Amino acid sequence: MLFNSIDFLIFFPIVVSVYLIIPKKLRTIWLLIASYYFYMSWNAKYALLIAFSTAVTYLSGLALEKSSRAASNPERKKKLCVFVSFFLNLSVLGLFKYADFVLENLNHLSAILHLNITFLPDRLGLLLPVGISFYTFQALSYTMDVYRGRIRAERNFLRYALFVSFFPQLVAGPIERSENLLPQLCRLEELSVWNRENIRDGLLLMVWGLFQKLVIADRISIVVREVYQNYTHYGLAEIALSTLLFAFQIYCDFGGYSDIARGAARVMGINLMHNFRQPYFAVGIRDFWRRWHISLTSWFTDYLYIPLGGSRCGTLKKYLNIFIVFFVSGLWHGASWNFVAWGMLHAFYQIGEDCLSKCIKPRTRSVLSNRPATVGKILLTFLLADFAWLFFASEDMAHVLRLLAQMGGVLYSGNLAELNFTVFDWVVLLSALVVLFIVDLLHERGVSVFSIFNRRSICLRIPCYLALIWGVILLGVYGYQYDVGQFIYFQF
């Protein structure tokens, strides 16, 4: 079920209405039923996978607490519990997401080496379950948090199952931490859900997310899809423009989803973590990753980078850790070498940035901290991240290489006018991007646009709310011809 679908437009008011009127003790059960229905609307059979992940990590949490009280070798038993939890969950993830990728590469390697391996199938052809990378990582973070003593194991299975499957953030994040979400679910019976501010702010956040998705991201997708799929008809100028626009497409697509998820949860009195913090105002690649997909970045930092040694070890080991993290991050995003290359490119960026910062003298560093230099660093960071998006937006590495070859061979094809993108579309898109820039700029300066609206009189707020809603309805991109099928991050 998509947030930008008629189904969700019917589903969400029903869920919230029942949630508001049922006895408080039934709220957990009701949200759990709604969450599983939400997930099963894609493929009912794959609900068994999320149930399996839930059961394994729930039992591992109980086993970890029991092991910590063991008379002999408690640490060894706790590590065994963590190993079993990770092995079972990652095995399921690997089977459905990476089995075909491994088989294809093994067969390709055997052909190169003339090994004539005939017992390996070409593909298993398993359908990738929606959101499996997100809920698997969320469940595994619970195991690690119990192991580290950050939280106590959850005894209520239904409450824990809701933590793993909570529908607003189930299929594309943010990847919630048990320390944030579980305590809120424990207090569901105490929440005053008839909270006017929560409902108002949540709905406004949802509309803003839909504005980003439908007005900006889906409109940009018309250009990007046409140019990337038919790249032989275009040159450097058109492909570069499409890559530039893709940076805003993926930001508004994924950021829009996160805002809708946060808004939907807020309506029900639950606060989810921020997943984006104006990433295109970053002043370096390291800063970019503090702002982009924050829940995943912090997950890799806490559960992979730091256990590997982080930056506490020598320089070479630190750089190796960065490579490992970005290699895994690339694979997490997709079972394809172009995603690995995208991750490795960001690793090179970050290591290069670290090396450069060590070479800059204090006097030069003070000069580079002024406003013009800061603007220059923001632009450079954006251009580096945008070039990396070319790898991300492509179908595979062969597609990447063909795009780069086309850019090197043809400067401008003159076919830009044939994109079926009208003057009206350009005006709407540029106007919407200006609105996005202003909102992000205000947020970057610590000014909440929503707070500004909420402090104004109702006579001013109502027209603003209606203008935003009508903007989404009238200016959003809809229809079969544009293939508005899903959010980009659903495939991960």
Side-chain angles (χ1 to χ4, degrees):
M1 190 182 302
L2 301 168
F3 282 165
N4 55 330
S5 67
I6 298 297
D7 291 342
F8 187 77
L9 190 62
I10 298 171
F11 167 82
F12 185 66
I14 293 175
V15 170
V16 173
S17 300
V18 174
Y19 176 75
L20 293 175
I21 62 176
I22 60 174
K24 295 180 179 180
K25 292 184 178 180
L26 299 179
R27 287 175 181 171
T28 298
I29 297 175
W30 171 244
L31 288 183
L32 182 60
I33 293 171
S35 296
Y36 267 79
Y37 176 82
F38 178 85
Y39 190 77
M40 291 169 68
S41 66
W42 275 288
N43 190 317
K45 294 181 295 184
Y46 283 165
L48 294 174
L49 296 179
I50 192 172
F52 174 78
S53 180
T54 300
V56 168
T57 49
Y58 171 78
L59 293 174
S60 71
L62 297 179
L64 280 166
E65 284 206 341
K66 184 177 180 180
S67 298
S68 64
R69 297 191 296 269
S72 62
N73 295 323
E75 190 63 26
R76 182 179 178 181
K77 292 178 180 178
K78 288 171 65 177
K79 288 181 178 179
L80 178 62
C81 292
V82 172
F83 172 79
V84 171
S85 179
F86 270 69
F87 177 78
L88 292 176
N89 279 278
L90 293 180
S91 294
V92 173
L93 178 62
L95 175 64
F96 282 89
K97 189 167 183 175
Y98 302 106
D100 285 344
F101 176 68
V102 172
L103 287 172
E104 288 171 3
N105 282 279
L106 285 176
N107 284 313
H108 184 64
L109 182 62
S110 69
I112 293 175
L113 300 176
H114 304 288
L115 297 178
N116 193 28
I117 299 177
T118 58
F119 60 86
L120 289 177
D122 292 334
R123 294 175 61 87
L124 294 181
L126 296 174
L127 180 65
L128 179 65
V130 173
I132 187 171
S133 298
F134 288 89
Y135 70 70
T136 299
F137 270 34
Q138 182 158 314
L140 289 178
S141 71
Y142 165 81
T143 299
M144 284 301 299
D145 288 343
V146 175
Y147 169 74
R148 293 175 174 178
R150 290 182 177 177
I151 60 167
R152 300 197 62 181
E154 177 56 54
R155 303 278 174 179
N156 188 314
F157 179 74
L158 296 180
R159 184 181 297 135
Y160 177 71
L162 178 59
F163 161 74
V164 177
S165 64
F166 186 47
F167 75 87
Q169 45 85 219
L170 171 59
V171 295
I175 303 170
E176 272 296 337
R177 298 300 183 84
S178 52
E179 295 170 285
N180 177 47
L181 185 55
L182 261 178
Q184 295 186 73
L185 299 180
C186 290
R187 296 193 298 269
L188 273 185
E189 296 180 12
E190 305 169 13
L191 284 178
S192 175
V193 293
W194 289 98
N195 187 304
R196 187 181 66 179
E197 287 75 20
N198 280 342
I199 295 174
R200 177 198 64 201
D201 294 346
L203 291 175
L204 184 58
L205 198 54
M206 293 178 73
V207 175
W208 172 243
L210 288 169
F211 175 84
Q212 294 175 77
K213 167 64 176 172
L214 296 174
V215 180
I216 300 178
D218 286 348
R219 180 166 271 104
I220 290 176
S221 71
I222 301 170
V223 177
V224 175
R225 184 167 55 249
E226 165 63 23
V227 173
Y228 270 59
Q229 288 181 354
N230 303 293
Y231 60 91
T232 55
H233 298 165
Y234 302 99
L236 170 64
E238 294 94 337
I239 296 174
L241 174 63
S242 299
T243 306
L244 174 70
L245 290 176
F246 182 77
F248 295 101
Q249 179 191 350
I250 192 168
Y251 174 39
C252 291
D253 190 283
F254 194 20
Y257 181 95
S258 296
D259 285 340
I260 298 170
R262 289 175 52 231
R266 181 80 60 83
V267 169
M268 295 179 283
I270 297 172
N271 292 310
L272 300 180
M273 68 181 295
H274 286 265
N275 214 14
F276 292 88
R277 187 171 56 83
Q278 302 80 248
Y280 294 143
F281 282 103
V283 293
I285 293 299
R286 188 175 181 182
D287 187 33
F288 174 82
W289 281 102
R290 293 194 191 103
R291 299 162 173 262
W292 179 275
H293 203 172
I294 298 170
S295 62
L296 181 67
T297 303
S298 61
W299 197 100
F300 278 124
T301 300
D302 289 346
Y303 303 121
L304 183 58
Y305 182 68
I306 292 176
L308 286 172
S311 57
R312 302 185 306 274
C313 45
T315 301
L316 290 179
K317 183 64 164 59
K318 171 186 172 183
Y319 292 163
L320 177 61
N321 294 341
I322 291 174
F323 268 114
I324 292 172
V325 168
F326 278 101
F327 177 84
V328 176
S329 177
L331 272 181
W332 181 92
H333 281 86
S336 180
W337 287 113
N338 59 302
F339 290 112
V340 174
W342 169 77
M344 291 293 91
L345 193 55
H346 273 278
F348 277 115
Y349 287 163
Q350 195 162 135
I351 291 171
E353 181 181 284
D354 187 71
C355 293
L356 189 62
S357 66
K358 292 178 179 179
C359 298
I360 297 175
K361 297 179 180 179
R363 181 180 298 178
T364 306
R365 192 175 290 117
S366 64
V367 172
L368 292 176
S369 63
N370 60 34
R371 181 167 294 182
T374 299
V375 173
K377 286 188 285 187
I378 290 173
L379 291 174
L380 178 60
T381 302
F382 175 78
L383 290 174
L384 291 173
D386 190 46
F387 176 71
W389 286 133
L390 186 145
F391 292 77
F392 197 96
S394 300
E395 296 174 1
D396 50 37
M397 274 304 297
H399 190 208
V400 172
L401 297 176
R402 290 194 295 267
L403 280 170
L404 293 174
Q406 184 71 12
M407 293 171 72
V410 181
L411 181 61
Y412 176 62
S413 69
N415 295 327
L416 191 61
E418 301 177 9
L419 289 173
N420 295 322
F421 206 70
T422 65
V423 173
F424 174 78
D425 285 316
W426 284 114
V427 170
V428 171
L429 176 58
L430 292 175
S431 301
L433 288 174
V434 169
V435 172
L436 177 70
F437 174 79
I438 292 172
V439 171
D440 273 8
L441 182 62
L442 289 173
H443 286 167
E444 182 68 11
R445 295 183 174 181
V447 179
S448 172
V449 176
F450 297 152
S451 297
I452 293 175
F453 275 124
N454 293 335
R455 287 198 299 265
R456 299 296 181 265
S457 67
I458 191 69
C459 297
L460 181 62
R461 277 187 282 139
I462 293 295
C464 291
Y465 296 155
L466 292 176
L468 182 59
I469 293 170
W470 278 109
V472 172
I473 294 173
L474 297 178
L475 302 178
V477 173
Y478 310 92
Y480 171 77
Q481 60 177 322
Y482 297 126
D483 189 27
V484 186
Q486 61 181 23
F487 290 79
I488 292 175
Y489 263 68
F490 276 22
Q491 64 186 297
F492 309 133

